[in-house]
Amino acid sequence: EAGVAQSPRYKIIEKRQSVAFWCNPISGHATLYWYQQILGQGPKLLIQFQNNGVVDDSQLPKDRFSAERLKGVDSTLKIQPAKLEDSAVYLCASSLIGGSTDTQYFGPGTRLTVL
Amino acid sequence: QKEVEQDPGPLSVPEGAIVSLNCTYSNSAFQYFMWYRQYSRKGPELLMYTYSSGNKEDGRFTAQVDKSSKYISLFIRDSQPSDSATYLCAMRSTGGGNKLTFGTGTQLKVEL
């Protein structure tokens, strides 16, 4: 079974530039999550999708971050404009149905450096 | 105060040692407790999963949950160099969908 795919793996940009990350979840998984992991911290949920609908985006900085999952499969996360404090690893995860006992499977992440 | 507290380490032990990793939490609504292992430059992978209080064993790994103390532990027996990674505790409540709250992670190094 193929895992969660993410690209790019690494990205370096200057502050105020824009950047986009792509995620392809495990086939058949209805729920998709984007996490932000700052160095030395645990992952923090940014947004959760159930199919193509948003379940939780309470911790997404909506003035600069946006995410979509138009066809209920792959997803993109965008930052515009980027700030220095956005430097982090952006992890995508997926799970089968999003229930309380569902296991989340993580991708390798995209490491973003904002200069 | 953070909802989940975890000592970041680093923790260095000799091969074969018993390792004890711990987390404390403040939210009494947490019912599901997980331990994830994260190798350098990789995503977290689920290691152990426990519901409510009690113990769970899987090979060299044992997870313990003490809800009365709001304290969870992961024990690794006969530690190996391949166990060197960051260990993240994670928790979620019932009715909270599938939202996980993570600790900061403990970096473990098992030396030959």
Side-chain angles (χ1 to χ4, degrees):
Chain A
E1 178 182 76
V4 176
Q6 290 188 248
S7 67
R9 290 296 313 276
Y10 305 92
K11 191 73 177 179
I12 301 173
I13 61 172
E14 295 192 350
K15 60 183 178 184
R16 291 188 290 274
Q17 286 187 324
S18 62
V19 64
F21 313 126
W22 175 83
C23 172
N24 191 30
I26 293 173
S27 178
H29 280 194
T31 311
L32 185 147
Y33 315 79
W34 282 102
Y35 287 87
Q36 179 192 58
Q37 186 174 23
I38 293 172
L39 185 66
Q41 298 183 21
K44 181 184 82 171
L45 180 69
L46 293 176
I47 189 167
Q48 176 181 343
F49 291 95
Q50 183 75 15
N51 296 307
N52 60 351
V54 175
V55 174
D56 185 347
D57 64 356
S58 58
Q59 298 191 94
L60 185 74
K62 299 181 184 64
D63 57 334
R64 298 184 300 107
F65 286 64
S66 65
E68 59 183 15
R69 193 185 185 201
L70 292 174
K71 296 182 179 179
V73 181
D74 56 354
S75 175
T76 56
L77 176 69
K78 297 179 182 177
I79 307 175
Q80 182 179 11
K83 293 185 175 182
L84 296 176
E85 58 261 35
D86 298 331
S87 294
V89 175
Y90 290 85
L91 294 163
C92 179
S94 70
S95 67
L96 194 58
I97 56 173
S100 297
T101 57
D102 233 12
T103 297
Q104 294 186 27
Y105 297 89
F106 285 82
T110 296
R111 184 175 298 269
L112 173 67
T113 302
V114 182
L115 301 175
Chain B
Q1 182 189 8
K2 291 182 180 178
E3 277 192 293
V4 180
E5 300 276 0
Q6 184 175 9
D7 187 335
L11 180 62
S12 183
V13 301
E15 183 180 8
I18 296 174
V19 176
S20 173
L21 304 167
N22 312 292
C23 287
T24 58
Y25 63 95
S26 57
N27 187 345
S28 57
F30 288 142
Q31 295 283 346
Y32 300 89
F33 304 91
M34 285 136 280
W35 286 95
Y36 281 81
R37 177 174 61 194
Q38 186 173 25
Y39 290 114
S40 181
R41 302 191 182 271
K42 301 284 187 182
E45 59 177 331
L46 183 65
L47 199 58
M48 297 287 284
Y49 174 95
T50 311
Y51 171 69
S52 194
S53 287
N55 295 356
K56 185 172 183 179
E57 188 174 320
D58 184 1
R60 296 184 296 111
F61 299 90
T62 300
Q64 287 186 352
V65 175
D66 181 351
K67 290 190 66 185
S68 63
S69 301
K70 296 189 176 67
Y71 188 88
I72 71 169
S73 301
L74 177 71
F75 297 96
I76 307 174
R77 291 183 298 280
D78 188 25
S79 56
Q80 302 296 310
S82 58
D83 295 328
S84 297
T86 296
Y87 290 79
L88 296 152
C89 62
M91 310 176 186
R92 64 175 170 235
S93 57
T94 54
N98 204 3
K99 179 180 177 178
L100 295 177
T101 301
F102 283 87
T104 55
T106 299
Q107 187 179 351
L108 171 67
K109 184 171 184 180
V110 181
E111 311 216 51
L112 290 169

